[in-house]
Amino acid sequence: MSSRDRILADVRRAIGGSARSAPGPVERTYHRENLVARADVDRFAEAVAEYRATVHRVDTDADLPALVAGLCAGESVVVPDDLPDSVIGTLDVHRDTAARPLSVTELDGITAVVTFGRLGIAATGTVVLDAGPGQGRRALTLVPDHHVCVLRADQVVDTVPQAIAALDPVRPITLISGPSATSDIELDRVEGVHGPRRLDVVIVG
Amino acid sequence: MTRPMTRTVDLGMPTATGFLRGEQKFPAAAADRLTDAQLRRNLAHATGTIRTKRLRAVAELDDWEELRLAGSAIKTDAMARLPELLEQLEATVTARGGVVHWARDGVEANRIITDLIRATGADEVVKVKSMATQEIGLNEHLETEGIRAIETDLAELIVQLGNDRPSHILVPAIHRNRTEIRDIFRTAMPGAPADLGDEPRELAMAARSYLRERFLTARVAVSGANFAAADTGTLAVVESEGNGRMCLTLPRTLITVMGIEKVLPSFTDLEVFLQLLPRSSTAERMNPYTSLWTGVTPGDGPQEFHLVLLDNGRTRVLADEVGRAALHCIRCSACLNVCPVYERVGGHAYGSVYPGPIGAILSPQLTGITGPDDPNASLPYASTLCGACFDACPVRIDIPSILVELRADAVEAGHRPLPGGQDVAMAAAAWAMTDGRRWGRLIALGRLLSWRRTGFRRLPWPASIWTRHRDLPPLPARTFRQQWRDRLRRTGSGS
Amino acid sequence: MRIAVFTTCLADALYPAVARATVTLLERLGHQAVVPADQTCCGQMHLNTGYWARGLPVVRHHVETFEAALDSCDAVVAPSGSCVGSVRHQHAMVAARYDDDALAERATAVAGRTYELSELLVDVLGVTDVGAWFGHPVTYYPTCHSLRMLRVGDKPVRLLRAVQDIDLIELPGADSCCGFGGTFALKNEATSSAMLTDKVAAVTSTGAQVCSAGDSSCLMHIGGGLSRLRTGIGTLHLAQILASTREHPCPVPEPRRPARRRPSLPGAAR
């Protein structure tokens, strides 16, 4: 008998041996809808800022290139191949393509990355990436020390349940809430360990 | 120091192997730790800080109790359907290009993981903090196989470099303060500056530069998992530093070790646990990074993914209808942080990688109790039953009730050939307490000592255990029932 | 109302003044106190130590005694959060473990009409001002089982606030355990005494003359520590303060007379 079959048999024996009633359906009485009438972009911006990420708000796409250029001034910048030029304008960037993905060592030599995000969560100040359009593969937003993430205001949802409902589980998903941090020394929070130490979140609209 | 146990033969469900049992009984181990002034200060500071923060993080959500109820219900449901969920998880992970392995105990898991690493040709792996691999002593095993395992979580790294044992589920080096950590880094971290200071930021940056090179060159990573969704095959790792993302993203091969109880019925269930876990563990609205992945994604992240499903005593726990709730644990460590016992003695006193209140119910159930001299037999008694752990538990594990049940199990197993002093005392008390008159006569004996109006400072054994630390009040000349009887006689009324 | 008083074994044997105060208070509020003669103990010591088979007859005895009392009484009251906690949360569970469904049902019925003192006063009798007087500084320790098993919340404190001339001082770290835990105090004496030391320090820091609580067991523990360290702070059960009036004031417990021997600090003894 394989370990698989033995474990499954043991589990069946363990739960079957007791005269117990099957649990009823899970009641989900917690908030699953908007907490406010409309997803609250202000609250999202506040929550992001509380993690000591920096929030920037612009009215239209047209404002992006100048802002992004300012944020990345003096840095070497990488973008996913499909990030539109409307975001970066004439900024000189490395492009990470499927045909020739940058090696980890090459990425390590680059200081900043500019991408889109998939969602924002207002309740927690979280940016969600799912490697979709303009987001690139996971290594891209991990190795460079500075991440500029661009979100449209209508991508902000209110609660964690709304975010989970909107995501496709098959994609590689990363939830980012502020820059990397540790509390491992005396439970004192230190920002910036292995992940990007600088996070700029740009909200358009 | 604990050593991994050798496999024990059991006719029923397999018992666990690994770092789940210390060498000392809890009272003695605790008494030793209590004399460590530095440890006491470190723990009081750290647990005090996190307690206040957790209360704030939890108070922010007006549906916290509803989330706790849902979390508990989802886990209960998952345990009841565990076989089908595990089979479903195996199918969904496999369909997305992952390979699923099954390990009955730590010995088997260690062998599987070793073989998988060998097959890649690597002799070094990077690790994300994982309780499951701590439990089975994977690092120690790999070392004997000539494979170097590098812990990348800051606290785990501190423990590893200090040749120490973890003492907390979330912050394994909670027993160390900044100065001790600085000294460990100066001594044991390759390339650490000789003049390294003790500011937490400086220490974290030292770890960053030491580990950076390891991340960039690692070919194999070993991780644990916080959750796995059976319906989609999605695995979740919740972390703060980014070391998790590094390990889960950069190496070509990823080996994830997960206890079978971690499976959730659906991806949707993450909406509950991703709210419960961060607020309970680090007291944040959300932890900095959560990685969710499903099998292999071509061109993004590891191209080889192995999932090792670990029993190691879990089916044993599952067989106990009351005790199985211990398997609902999501390893947030809130119960440790609020426990007045843990706060004073720290994690090492519990002997197991699972310390604190949850450890006191989980460890003895995973290992089984071999007899009264088994150190784990003392764990269910390592609590005043104050209930702070239950209040803090995000999935509402009724730890005090389970502790009491385990005590009952221990007494009923009757591990002793002859009744001990406690057995005799309990039998005598029960005899007196089942008859009002007998009881009344017994307590009236206190009259014999009631001449002493100042109470008692020193009494002979076993009362000396009390009077070593506390005085005993003077005994009343007449018990209440005697006084009541007098009154009834005086007033002539009956009841 | 006719109210059966479950004095608890500890008050019966060691703290008769607490049981007396409970009766005095009920009678002053115009109720009739009944003390079932056959009562003994809730069995908590047995149950919490794991001696369930030994505890079962004690539980049965309690259920039978108070079931009979409830034939002629409206409620049962005990001056102990811990004992009521056991009645409410453990009795039926123990019966169920031994497949005695009938006893479990009877235990549940008795538990449903058993109240801790502050619950009875506030929830059942609907009073917070019981007409008490106590003119001394007091700090109140809420006790774990009252707080987290019974969830009595601020009921005891509301009762104390209504006491005339009382100077009620908040206890720092009030919700953390004093380290008693029944046999824990003996089995894990080192840890227990470490917890007690911190509790005694917190009580001392308030400057109160009296430490009060709703449980004689916790008070025996804290009082034992206060006395050992010669803090001069005494303990009084909540019932004793609530029973105190200007006409019949409850005396502040005298600090113990100086001992002839050198004081022994906790842990310094042989």
Side-chain angles (χ1 to χ4, degrees):
Chain A
M1 206 180 191
S2 68
S3 288
R4 174 190 188 275
D5 295 342
R6 291 180 72 176
I7 290 172
L8 287 171
D10 283 344
V11 173
R12 287 204 170 88
R13 200 148 49 95
I15 58 177
S18 48
R20 46 182 302 286
S21 52
V26 173
E27 282 193 46
R28 298 181 191 269
T29 49
Y30 52 88
H31 301 310
R32 305 186 85 198
E33 304 303 322
N34 275 7
L35 296 177
V36 290
R38 193 177 63 83
D40 191 340
V41 180
D42 290 340
R43 199 157 66 99
F44 170 69
E46 260 168 52
V48 172
E50 277 178 33
Y51 291 120
R52 277 175 251 177
T54 316
V55 180
H56 311 269
R57 301 189 64 169
V58 296
D59 293 332
T60 66
D61 283 355
D63 303 324
L64 283 174
L67 175 68
V68 168
L71 292 174
C72 299
E75 295 197 82
S76 54
V77 180
V78 64
V79 297
D81 195 28
D82 58 350
L83 189 79
D85 286 342
S86 58
V87 176
I88 45 174
T90 57
L91 195 67
D92 185 24
V93 296
H94 302 271
R95 288 191 175 271
D96 185 60
T97 66
R100 207 199 84 71
L102 296 169
S103 73
V104 172
T105 319
E106 283 172 311
L107 278 177
D108 192 39
I110 295 171
T111 57
V113 57
V114 183
T115 69
F116 282 149
R118 169 70 180 84
L119 286 174
I121 309 174
T124 56
T126 301
V127 172
V128 185
L129 305 177
D130 72 353
Q135 297 177 54
R137 62 198 170 103
R138 283 173 286 173
L140 205 60
T141 44
L142 174 63
V143 181
D145 206 21
H146 177 198
H147 182 194
V148 179
C149 186
V150 180
L151 277 174
R152 290 190 320 274
D154 64 9
Q155 284 178 294
V156 175
V157 297
D158 217 26
T159 64
V160 173
Q162 288 174 317
I164 294 294
L167 291 169
D168 176 1
V170 158
R171 313 190 69 91
I173 297 164
T174 309
L175 281 71
I176 300 175
S177 309
S180 77
T182 182
S183 300
D184 280 354
I185 301 170
E186 298 180 12
L187 284 169
D188 227 12
R189 190 177 160 99
V190 174
E191 260 119 31
V193 195
H194 304 296
R197 285 180 284 190
R198 221 178 122 196
L199 175 65
D200 282 297
V201 177
V202 180
I203 307 167
V204 186
Chain B
M1 261 319 197
T2 50
R3 269 181 252 115
M5 287 176 290
T6 49
R7 182 173 186 154
T8 50
V9 182
D10 195 283
L11 295 174
M13 276 101 182
T15 50
T17 66
F19 289 110
L20 289 164
R21 183 184 270 133
E23 283 171 357
Q24 253 182 319
K25 289 192 171 193
F26 182 82
D32 283 354
R33 305 288 160 183
L34 283 168
T35 61
D36 185 339
Q38 184 68 64
L39 173 78
R40 301 269 313 261
R41 268 201 304 277
N42 296 353
L43 282 171
H45 171 72
T47 56
T49 309
I50 194 76
R51 271 186 215 183
T52 320
K53 281 196 205 163
R54 188 193 71 87
L55 286 174
R56 240 188 349 246
V58 163
E60 222 181 57
L61 295 187
D62 63 5
D63 59 346
W64 183 250
E65 288 309 316
E66 286 79 4
L67 284 165
R68 285 179 82 210
L69 286 166
S72 169
I74 292 167
K75 284 289 186 178
T76 306
D77 176 43
M79 293 307 128
R81 298 197 281 132
L82 198 52
E84 60 174 280
L85 293 180
L86 289 171
E87 284 173 314
Q88 190 186 11
L89 178 68
E90 181 186 42
T92 47
V93 168
T94 307
R96 293 282 308 167
V99 183
V100 177
H101 310 261
W102 302 71
R104 292 191 82 202
D105 61 14
V107 174
E108 188 174 9
N110 285 338
R111 199 188 61 232
I112 292 169
I113 298 162
T114 308
D115 291 347
L116 289 171
I117 298 169
R118 282 260 165 74
T120 67
D123 59 3
E124 185 176 293
V125 296
V126 284
K127 280 190 69 203
V128 195
K129 183 178 148 23
S130 136
M131 290 310 298
T133 62
Q134 279 284 3
E135 173 189 324
I136 61 178
L138 176 65
N139 294 4
E140 291 77 5
H141 175 79
L142 291 179
E143 201 184 320
T144 65
E145 300 279 345
I147 298 168
R148 187 160 169 243
I150 298 166
E151 292 291 351
T152 64
D153 169 79
L154 182 53
E156 289 284 11
L157 180 67
I158 296 164
V159 168
Q160 192 178 38
L161 292 177
N163 202 15
D164 202 354
R165 307 255 2 128
S167 72
H168 189 274
I169 290 172
L170 176 75
V171 193
I174 196 169
H175 56 290
R176 298 287 193 191
N177 70 11
R178 56 187 72 189
T179 316
E180 295 170 289
I181 294 166
R182 180 203 61 193
D183 294 343
I184 291 168
F185 280 12
R186 278 189 188 170
T187 319
M189 185 192 280
D195 61 344
L196 183 66
D198 65 0
E199 269 307 301
R201 157 157 302 277
E202 205 180 334
L203 295 167
M205 289 311 111
R208 176 186 164 103
S209 27
Y210 165 64
L211 289 172
R212 191 82 182 173
E213 185 58 28
R214 302 283 171 301
F215 287 135
L216 300 184
T217 55
R219 284 148 66 194
V220 182
V222 176
S223 86
N226 292 98
F227 310 103
D231 62 343
T232 60
T234 306
L235 276 289
V237 163
V238 173
E239 53 128 357
S240 295
E241 296 168 10
N243 64 310
R245 289 177 72 193
M246 291 281 178
C247 292
L248 300 170
T249 308
L250 300 184
R252 209 196 118 71
T253 302
L254 171 62
I255 304 167
T256 298
V257 188
M258 184 188 102
I260 51 173
E261 83 283 16
K262 295 274 176 208
V263 67
L264 298 175
S266 75
F267 183 78
T268 303
D269 296 327
L270 288 170
E271 71 185 24
V272 174
F273 294 100
L274 290 183
Q275 295 193 75
L276 290 174
L277 182 53
R279 287 182 200 259
S280 300
S281 59
T282 49
E284 293 164 300
R285 290 178 180 143
M286 191 64 96
N287 50 291
Y289 299 132
T290 296
S291 296
L292 307 173
W293 76 96
T294 306
V296 170
T297 305
D300 188 343
Q303 296 302 295
E304 210 184 298
F305 171 54
H306 297 275
L307 177 63
V308 181
L309 295 174
L310 176 73
D311 180 340
N312 207 37
R314 285 158 178 78
T315 49
R316 240 191 132 268
V317 185
L318 197 61
D320 185 311
E321 243 185 292
V322 177
R324 72 167 57 129
L327 295 177
H328 296 185
C329 174
I330 57 173
R331 310 284 188 260
C332 74
S333 68
C335 66
L336 277 62
N337 298 333
V338 299
C339 177
V341 175
Y342 178 89
E343 178 192 2
R344 287 170 179 86
V345 305
H348 291 149
Y350 295 79
S352 159
V353 295
Y354 300 112
I358 186 64
I361 59 170
L362 191 56
S363 307
Q365 292 198 90
L366 285 170
T367 60
I369 300 295
T370 56
D373 296 327
D374 183 340
N376 278 359
S378 64
L379 289 181
Y381 295 91
S383 165
T384 62
L385 307 176
C386 85
C389 48
F390 172 63
D391 276 12
C393 179
V395 290
R396 294 174 57 92
I397 301 172
D398 187 353
I399 295 176
S401 293
I402 298 176
L403 284 166
V404 172
E405 287 262 355
L406 293 179
R407 294 174 186 185
D409 291 346
V411 169
E412 264 167 39
H415 287 310
R416 266 165 232 287
L418 287 170
Q422 178 175 277
D423 301 328
V424 173
M426 290 290 171
W431 176 78
M433 285 170 171
T434 43
D435 184 309
R437 244 183 285 174
R438 252 186 332 238
W439 170 247
R441 279 199 293 267
L442 176 76
I443 60 174
L445 291 175
R447 214 167 11 178
L448 299 176
L449 293 170
S450 66
W451 54 270
R452 197 183 163 112
R453 305 305 304 152
T454 56
F456 302 88
R457 283 194 187 284
R458 282 203 178 82
L459 286 169
W461 191 87
S464 59
I465 305 173
W466 179 273
T467 55
R468 263 202 287 268
H469 309 286
R470 324 129 178 115
D471 291 344
L472 203 63
L475 297 181
R478 296 186 67 68
T479 65
F480 177 71
R481 67 180 56 225
Q482 289 174 318
Q483 298 179 17
W484 187 254
R485 220 179 297 134
D486 295 345
R487 173 178 141 158
L488 293 183
R489 280 204 202 102
R490 274 200 314 274
T491 58
S493 65
S495 75
Chain C
M1 222 180 233
R2 261 172 76 87
I3 299 160
V5 179
F6 166 32
T7 58
T8 78
C9 63
L10 197 62
D12 190 359
L14 281 181
Y15 297 100
V18 173
R20 258 192 340 259
T22 306
V23 169
T24 304
L25 179 61
L26 295 178
E27 292 179 344
R28 192 175 76 220
L29 293 171
H31 304 283
Q32 190 186 349
V34 176
V35 182
D38 207 27
Q39 64 174 297
T40 56
C41 168
C42 64
Q44 189 181 187
M45 175 184 73
H46 288 96
L47 305 182
N48 283 350
T49 314
Y51 287 78
W52 286 30
R54 294 274 182 218
L56 182 66
V58 182
V59 168
R60 180 175 292 117
H61 182 77
H62 179 92
V63 171
E64 283 168 355
T65 304
F66 283 93
E67 192 176 56
L70 281 165
D71 282 344
S72 64
C73 293
D74 304 291
V76 178
V77 69
S80 162
S82 197
C83 303
V84 174
S86 180
V87 166
R88 222 177 268 172
H89 294 284
Q90 292 185 319
H91 282 192
M93 189 169 78
V94 173
R97 183 175 171 118
Y98 295 100
D99 296 323
D100 193 337
D101 293 341
L103 179 62
E105 207 171 298
R106 292 163 66 195
T108 306
V110 170
R113 293 167 72 185
T114 302
Y115 302 91
E116 181 271 340
L117 181 62
S118 72
E119 291 179 329
L120 179 89
L121 294 171
V122 176
D123 295 344
V124 182
L125 305 180
V127 286
T128 46
D129 185 348
V130 296
W133 176 90
F134 191 78
H136 310 279
V138 174
T139 193
Y140 187 78
Y141 169 54
T143 78
C144 302
H145 288 174
S146 293
L147 263 188
R148 289 180 283 263
M149 224 167 161
L150 299 183
R151 313 251 173 222
V152 302
D154 64 350
K155 283 165 207 163
V157 171
R158 276 156 62 197
L159 288 160
L160 285 173
R161 274 202 208 107
V163 173
Q164 222 183 357
D165 288 345
I166 196 169
D167 177 12
L168 192 60
I169 309 164
E170 199 179 320
L171 178 66
D175 62 354
S176 71
C177 180
C178 71
F180 174 59
T183 47
F184 178 85
L186 306 179
K187 284 179 188 291
N188 283 282
E189 54 159 322
T191 309
S192 171
S193 76
M195 292 164 70
L196 175 62
T197 302
D198 292 346
K199 186 58 73 188
V200 165
V203 170
T204 311
S205 77
T206 63
Q209 207 173 347
V210 171
C211 175
S212 181
D215 245 301
S216 298
S217 52
C218 311
L219 280 181
M220 177 171 75
H221 192 233
I222 297 171
L226 289 167
S227 160
R228 172 61 53 93
L229 287 174
R230 313 289 208 278
T231 59
I233 303 170
T235 57
L236 284 177
H237 191 281
L238 173 70
Q240 292 172 281
I241 293 179
L242 297 181
S244 171
T245 57
R246 230 180 252 283
E247 296 70 37
H248 303 285
C250 173
V252 171
E254 276 176 55
R256 113 173 351 199
R257 281 198 311 251
R260 271 159 295 166
R261 237 186 306 208
R262 266 185 307 122
S264 58
L265 294 170
R270 276 163 296 132

